[in-house]
Amino acid sequence: MAVGKSIIRVDACEKVTGGAKYTADLEPKGALVAKVVRSTIANGVVKGFDLEAALAVPGVVKIVTCFDVPDYQFPTAGHPWSVETAHQDIADRKLLNTRVRVYGDDIAAVVAEDEISAARAARLVIVEYEEYPPLLTPEEALAEGAPRLHDEKPGNLIAHSGFKLGELSYEEAAEEEGLIVIDKEYGTQSVQHCHIETPVSFAYMEKGRIVVTTSTQIPHIVRRVISQALGVPMGMIRVIKPYIGGGFGNKQDVLYEPLNAYLCTLVGGRCVKMEISREETLACTRVRHAMNLHVKAAARKDGTLVARKLTAYSNQGGYASHAHAIVANTSNEFKQIYHDEKALEADAYTVYTNIATGGAMRGYGIPQAAFAAECMADDLALQLGMDPLEFRRKNCMQAGYEDPHTHVKFNSYGLMECMEKGRELIGWDEKRREYVNQTGPVRRGIGMAIFCYKTGVYPISLETASCRMVLNQDGSMQLMMGATEIGQGADTVFAQMAAQVTGITEDRVNVMSTQDTDSSPFDTGAYASRQTYVSGKAVVKTGTLFKEKILDYASYMLKRPMDTLDVKENSVVDRESGELLLSMEELATTAIYSLDRSVHITAEATSHCKDNTFASGACFAEVEVDMPLGKVKVTNIINVHDSGVLINPKLAEAQVHGGMSMGLGYGLSEQLLFDAKGRPLNDNLLDYKLPTAMDTPDLHVEFVEINDPTGPFGNKALGEPPAIPVAPAIRNAVLNATGVAVDSLPMDPQKMVAHFKAAGLI
């Protein structure tokens, strides 16, 4: 059995020895260097440039301004294209922008012979602006008379969606006598992905075609967007994705590849490299959406949840990117995770503003929803005098749940078991008793949060993936995927899946880690925790065809019926007895070189996935709160996940560790800050407070493995879920420790001290 084993990653040796080649490692010698000239205002219009001093810098080859680029607007979100106009992403960006909408907007670009010349010239570009007041919040952007950020829209509201479930309105349901009611504002902040490798690409022309090598999660989508941005046929564009040093959703946007592609066409097809600095990455790429979430909820004194209402405002920033899909996902999670007896209402708004553009980030709107829903659960439980875990057991989504709008089903249900497992492992009942009636400046508490997460994007968007397998002459296999390895271990699980289906052992499966749109089969890319589930189905489908072709040739060689044969451990064997009949190497060599029947054994298949299912889980956190210092120390934390059958248990554990680490930062320290003019204040890793090893406790992980009938091997989503429940679990542990409800993130020392002072605790 290849599936279910903790084999070593197929890319482990290359990565730990430095052999793995990333984009910057592949840059051709003598490449030109491009630097973006960025706006020094957040809202306004570029009126003109003075380029004289910049052009005089030795080594400058070309300066391009926003007045020079093709007049095409294009979308940047890494979504599958839709043939239906209504379902296409918003095209609101140009290669360079005359209308400035964020501080650091792309308004010009310098191409030079070297890094120093390019940077020096970029600093010397003088820009004349017509400046407008910056709009930093949805409230400011929606106010009467606010400057309009995009002419295509009548105002700054990108979209509004909503739904109502139940025959009553929330207000009508909440009139029931004796209800416990809360009415609160919860808030989440802008944070950055902080992947190790910043966005980097290089572009050149070959035989009249544009070739772009880039660090991206979505090579096939990058190709399509370059075509749209430049007005060039897609067949004239080639995109290559080497190893990638992380993305977490930031590289699920098409960031600078179209601009880089265009610049290379202006310098005779010479190679142009564009590497975005850490500061530019933090301030000028994508962030997780800040949201204001107004929650009303009503419950009976026995803990039954009667009605809820969510009003969510998502701060989109200057450009649409993934736009309303994020907060729509937020309202879906709010709907799904709890059951309301009488009424549920939700209204979600996405608003253009002048802060950094919100895009995809690990969890895609669910961390924001989980914070609101899980704070609500503990706040209600506190007023009810009820154990928060028991409140969740009573009201959480149950086995067999089906979303009334998308009709996604909970095909395998492990949420209740996750809660029970976490309860036992962290000693929930004992700790809740122990931490009652504490006094003193340092107090301890325990909290929890739950979540659900659908796997991939069906039925909201297209889910399609392809795979190709080729039998080598030595009996090994080439496995080619359009799905991208971005550090999460996808190549390893694909190798295990291929081995499981074909009978060729995983050490003989050579996975192509580089995607090349000229030769790699199509896949929409790495996002939405989809690859093991969606692309895995393509592996199974292709592997089944591949094995059939092997057995067909074995039948010819052995003069035996095909249905009496099987492939096991790199050999053709008797299906009944297991007797070894033919080595794979002998079969492969014969197939290639036979003078009688030469066959090149290959298989390729596309899986159009029309299934989906929910993953779920729980986080339990124990904290020590030093109130005078405002310091929250996590002393114990455990995530328990219902992600179906694990393809590789050690890789699964590593995925959860990474997600928990991101959740710790989201909960306790990370926030991208802006001044009154929309300028980022902490766009560097000194001032942007990522958690370090010293801030991170031992991370504990457990799984509830239940076979999901829709997964290729009973598996379902795991990539994003670990980042979802951590922040609200910590918040609820602080509530348990101190009685203070902190309703916004992050829970940094300054904020905590203010809360404890307001509560009279210090």
Side-chain angles (χ1 to χ4, degrees):
M1 290 287 290
V3 165
K5 293 196 305 186
S6 293
I7 69 167
I8 295 172
R9 290 177 60 128
V10 298
D11 54 1
C13 186
E14 287 294 289
K15 287 184 172 177
V16 300
T17 61
K21 296 295 187 288
Y22 295 81
T23 300
D25 297 318
L26 300 171
E27 174 196 330
K29 192 173 182 180
L32 299 173
V33 175
K35 289 288 183 185
V36 178
V37 177
R38 302 191 178 281
S39 68
T40 54
I41 64 170
N43 192 11
V45 177
V46 176
K47 305 301 290 183
F49 292 91
D50 181 347
L51 304 177
E52 184 178 355
L55 286 168
V57 174
V60 170
V61 175
K62 188 81 175 177
I63 298 179
V64 181
T65 75
C66 53
F67 302 119
D68 305 322
V69 296
D71 191 21
Y72 297 115
Q73 294 202 159
F74 57 93
T76 64
H79 289 150
W81 190 240
S82 176
V83 294
E84 299 174 19
T85 304
H87 289 98
Q88 293 170 7
D89 289 305
I90 297 170
D92 67 351
R93 199 174 189 101
K94 295 183 180 180
L95 292 173
L96 297 167
N97 301 299
T98 304
R99 177 66 170 90
V100 172
R101 301 177 177 95
V102 293
Y103 190 96
D105 211 342
D106 314 335
I107 58 173
V110 176
V111 182
E113 295 286 352
D114 57 73
E115 190 97 17
I116 293 173
S117 299
R120 184 181 170 204
R123 288 195 299 270
L124 291 173
V125 171
I126 298 171
V127 189
E128 179 189 353
Y129 301 102
E130 180 180 320
E131 188 173 2
Y132 308 140
L135 310 170
L136 306 184
T137 67
E139 292 79 9
E140 292 173 1
L142 294 176
E144 187 175 348
R148 190 168 58 178
L149 298 186
H150 290 268
D151 291 338
E152 302 80 18
K153 290 280 183 182
N156 294 319
L157 178 66
I158 296 176
H160 162 244
S161 63
F163 57 80
K164 292 183 179 181
L165 295 174
E167 295 181 0
L168 302 177
S169 69
Y170 170 81
E171 285 73 18
E172 290 170 331
E175 289 177 356
E176 181 182 320
E177 189 175 347
L179 295 181
I180 300 296
V181 175
I182 64 167
D183 184 339
K184 299 192 75 171
E185 295 274 354
Y186 300 109
T188 64
Q189 77 282 32
S190 293
V191 296
Q192 236 284 340
H193 310 70
C194 296
H195 33 76
I196 295 174
E197 180 195 33
T198 60
V200 56
S201 62
F202 60 83
Y204 58 90
M205 296 188 73
E206 184 177 75
K207 297 179 180 178
R209 300 174 74 218
I210 301 169
V211 182
V212 181
T213 301
T214 178
S215 176
T216 180
Q217 300 172 220
I218 47 169
H220 283 280
I221 293 176
V222 168
R223 183 192 193 202
R224 184 254 299 166
V225 174
I226 292 173
S227 170
Q228 293 171 302
L230 274 60
V232 173
M234 208 177 300
M236 300 301 292
I237 300 161
R238 176 186 178 193
V239 174
I240 301 168
K241 173 249 152 202
Y243 280 109
I244 173 173
F248 305 114
N250 202 16
K251 297 175 188 175
Q252 197 209 333
D253 246 77
V254 184
L255 298 170
Y256 286 95
E257 295 91 349
L259 176 59
N260 199 7
Y262 178 67
L263 293 175
C264 89
T265 69
L266 301 182
V267 293
R270 286 184 65 183
C271 183
V272 178
K273 170 194 173 183
M274 181 176 286
E275 185 167 357
I276 307 305
S277 71
R278 179 63 64 188
E279 290 77 10
E280 290 175 297
T281 302
L282 278 160
C284 306
T285 55
R286 303 292 180 267
V287 297
R288 178 175 280 156
H289 294 72
M291 290 190 192
N292 301 323
L293 304 123
H294 183 189
V295 175
K296 296 180 180 180
R300 296 195 186 102
K301 291 179 181 177
D302 67 354
T304 302
L305 198 54
V306 173
R308 288 179 299 151
K309 184 174 183 177
L310 170 70
T311 307
Y313 284 87
S314 179
N315 191 329
Q316 178 57 46
Y319 295 92
S321 181
H322 289 249
H324 194 64
I326 306 292
V327 75
N329 223 25
T330 299
S331 59
N332 275 336
E333 168 78 359
F334 192 83
K335 164 184 58 179
Q336 292 156 354
I337 195 63
Y338 290 107
H339 168 72
D340 305 88
E341 187 175 281
K342 288 188 176 181
L344 172 63
E345 296 180 38
D347 284 287
Y349 302 84
T350 300
V351 185
Y352 281 126
T353 67
N354 293 123
I355 69 165
T357 299
M361 186 173 175
R362 195 174 192 172
Y364 209 82
I366 307 301
Q368 296 96 317
F371 185 71
E374 295 309 287
C375 289
M376 175 213 75
D378 263 55
D379 291 345
L380 271 175
L382 182 64
Q383 288 202 39
L384 290 161
M386 187 175 184
D387 185 307
L389 194 152
E390 293 305 323
F391 178 86
R392 288 173 172 85
R393 284 174 53 84
K394 187 178 184 71
N395 294 293
C396 72
M397 66 194 308
Q398 301 294 310
Y401 173 83
E402 179 179 334
D403 185 285
H405 301 119
T406 65
H407 300 291
V408 175
K409 296 179 182 178
F410 223 135
N411 293 298
S412 58
Y413 180 81
L415 177 56
M416 205 69 77
E417 191 175 342
C418 286
M419 284 194 275
E420 287 306 308
K421 200 166 192 177
R423 176 185 211 155
E424 179 183 344
L425 290 167
I426 206 161
W428 174 267
D429 298 298
E430 298 84 354
K431 296 289 174 60
R432 293 287 296 187
R433 288 193 295 267
E434 181 182 345
Y435 297 147
V436 171
N437 299 324
Q438 295 178 79
T439 59
V442 179
R443 300 181 188 179
R444 298 176 72 89
I446 191 166
M448 68 169 296
I450 60 174
F451 72 91
C452 67
Y453 188 90
K454 66 180 177 60
T455 307
V457 299
Y458 177 82
I460 296 167
S461 192
L462 172 70
E463 278 295 11
T464 184
S466 296
C467 169
R468 184 183 305 126
M469 295 177 182
V470 178
L471 188 65
N472 295 323
Q473 296 165 41
D474 63 354
S476 64
M477 176 210 298
Q478 301 301 112
L479 175 63
M480 285 164 269
M481 303 291 297
T484 52
E485 167 66 68
I486 63 170
Q488 80 281 45
D491 284 353
T492 304
V493 298
F494 291 148
Q496 290 178 262
M497 290 175 166
Q500 184 77 20
V501 178
T502 65
I504 296 174
T505 56
E506 58 268 20
D507 60 309
R508 305 276 285 165
V509 177
N510 303 307
V511 187
M512 304 294 100
S513 287
T514 296
Q515 278 70 43
D516 183 332
T517 57
D518 269 11
S519 56
S520 299
F522 185 87
D523 194 293
T524 51
Y527 57 86
S529 304
R530 64 180 290 279
Q531 289 194 138
T532 307
Y533 185 83
V534 176
S535 304
K537 292 182 179 183
V539 175
V540 172
K541 191 173 181 179
T542 305
T544 302
L545 291 173
F546 189 63
K547 186 175 180 180
E548 285 176 1
K549 291 185 176 185
I550 290 171
L551 292 176
D552 176 66
Y553 201 84
S555 174
Y556 153 76
M557 287 182 67
L558 296 168
K559 311 302 181 194
R560 289 183 51 164
M562 186 173 148
D563 61 6
T564 67
L565 305 174
D566 200 358
V567 180
K568 300 284 186 185
E569 301 284 326
N570 308 313
S571 296
V572 178
V573 301
D574 182 276
R575 184 179 293 276
E576 294 297 326
S577 68
E579 178 190 356
L580 193 151
L581 303 173
L582 184 67
S583 74
M584 194 60 58
E585 183 173 3
E586 184 181 353
L587 181 146
T589 304
T590 304
I592 290 286
Y593 296 115
S594 171
L595 295 176
D596 180 50
R597 184 186 175 193
S598 177
V599 176
H600 302 171
I601 297 177
T602 67
E604 183 168 350
T606 297
S607 176
H608 181 184
C609 179
K610 295 184 178 181
D611 285 317
N612 208 327
T613 189
F614 287 105
S616 64
C619 176
F620 290 79
E622 188 175 0
V623 301
E624 181 179 276
V625 184
D626 187 322
M627 292 186 292
L629 293 180
K631 180 69 174 175
V632 177
K633 179 182 179 182
V634 179
T635 58
N636 192 12
I637 188 165
I638 183 167
N639 268 31
V640 187
H641 285 266
D642 151 39
S643 289
V645 174
L646 303 178
I647 307 299
N648 185 312
K650 276 295 180 186
L651 271 181
E653 186 178 356
Q655 279 280 67
V656 179
H657 283 165
M660 292 173 76
S661 178
M662 293 187 82
L664 287 166
Y666 190 48
L668 293 174
S669 62
E670 293 183 48
Q671 182 173 15
L672 194 58
L673 300 167
F674 302 89
D675 68 14
K677 289 185 172 291
R679 178 177 179 173
L681 293 171
N682 58 337
D683 53 348
N684 60 82
L685 292 182
L686 177 63
D687 299 316
Y688 183 88
K689 297 301 182 183
L690 274 177
T692 69
M694 294 180 67
D695 304 310
T696 305
D698 289 339
L699 303 174
H700 303 291
V701 183
E702 291 290 338
F703 295 97
V704 172
E705 290 195 65
I706 301 171
N707 184 76
D708 193 283
T710 65
F713 293 97
N715 52 290
K716 55 185 181 179
L718 181 59
E720 289 162 286
I724 295 168
V726 174
I730 295 170
R731 180 267 189 188
N732 291 336
V734 172
L735 176 63
N736 177 240
T738 66
V740 174
V742 183
D743 296 334
S744 65
L745 295 175
M747 294 175 286
D748 56 51
Q750 296 89 335
K751 181 183 292 181
M752 301 307 294
V753 166
H755 274 73
F756 295 142
K757 282 184 176 179
L761 294 173
I762 56 174

